[in-house]
Amino acid sequence: MTEQEVREIVRNFTWEFWQDLTRMAGQMVPGADMDLSEKLPHEAWENPFPWMMEAQEWLVMARYGAGLAPDEDPAEMYEICQGMVEWLFAIPGSSAYSIPDEWSDTPMGALWAMAFAKVQGDELITMAQAAEIAGVTVQAIAGRIDRGLRAYIDPSATNPQKGRRLVRRSDVEPGSTE
């Protein structure tokens, strides 16, 4: 995955996230969505990174997940990963949240999943790599996925709907419970 592809994924996610936030603000306080929309100049949507703190952090995390920034501090990446899912999935007024499986099937969610696996000392690998590690065929790995092994969409696949599926290395290593 290239730097430009990662930047585009984060830019698009940031734009969609901002649209959702402003829409919700407009539902809470009539007209707030218009006020918020006017706070950012048009050029912020061409390149939101100088304008938005969260977008800057999300870009750092996405680059780390894509392998473009391997020297980033894992503790900092953990904090960014944690902060992102709290922003997205926490119940207001509670520290409880649940990350839906569908999140990692989105381009930004896939980059998040790759970064989060790395900070946990794991990695997402292709089905071919998983088959080699487990000493089975790719079809056997696909069967495990069909029976419940968690798979992730590869954000660099040209067609994510039919693109490569990734699995956690720890889930297929000898001695794993899968």
Side-chain angles (χ1 to χ4, degrees), residues 57 60-67 69-83 85 110-124 168 170:
E57 288 193 347
V60 170
M61 181 218 47
R63 292 182 74 249
Y64 179 75
D71 297 331
E72 293 292 341
D73 176 18
E76 182 181 345
M77 293 306 100
Y78 179 86
E79 289 299 320
I80 295 171
C81 288
Q82 187 67 30
V85 293
L111 289 167
W112 174 88
M114 293 172 84
F116 197 61
K118 284 182 183 182
V119 300
Q120 293 176 317
D122 205 347
E123 67 178 317
L124 298 182
R168 282 182 170 263
S170 63

Side-chain angles (χ1 to χ4, degrees), residues 12-149:
N12 289 342
F13 178 80
T14 300
W15 172 243
E16 292 167 4
F17 186 76
W18 179 259
Q19 287 180 314
D20 284 350
L21 281 178
T22 56
R23 178 189 52 78
M24 287 187 280
Q27 293 295 312
M28 294 292 291
V29 178
D33 51 340
M34 297 307 293
D35 291 342
L36 286 173
S37 294
E38 293 170 3
K39 296 287 183 199
L40 289 174
H42 178 72
E43 59 266 18
W45 301 114
E46 299 297 320
N47 181 16
F49 307 113
W51 299 90
M52 299 179 191
M53 291 185 305
E54 286 301 315
Q56 293 168 21
E57 288 193 347
W58 295 340
L59 179 60
V60 170
M61 181 218 47
R63 292 182 74 249
Y64 179 75
L68 299 174
D71 297 331
E72 293 292 341
D73 176 18
E76 182 181 345
M77 293 306 100
Y78 179 86
E79 289 299 320
I80 295 171
C81 288
Q82 187 67 30
M84 179 176 234
V85 293
E86 288 173 5
W87 265 95
L88 296 173
F89 306 118
I91 299 168
S94 169
S95 60
Y97 65 90
S98 178
I99 303 169
D101 287 343
E102 298 79 13
W103 164 236
S104 61
D105 293 341
T106 68
M108 188 68 195
L111 289 167
W112 174 88
M114 293 172 84
F116 197 61
K118 284 182 183 182
V119 300
Q120 293 176 317
D122 205 347
E123 67 178 317
L124 298 182
I125 58 175
T126 65
M127 290 173 53
Q129 291 169 316
E132 185 176 327
I133 290 167
V136 299
T137 65
V138 172
Q139 292 78 10
I141 296 296
R144 289 182 187 183
I145 291 170
D146 291 342
R147 290 187 301 279
L149 175 65

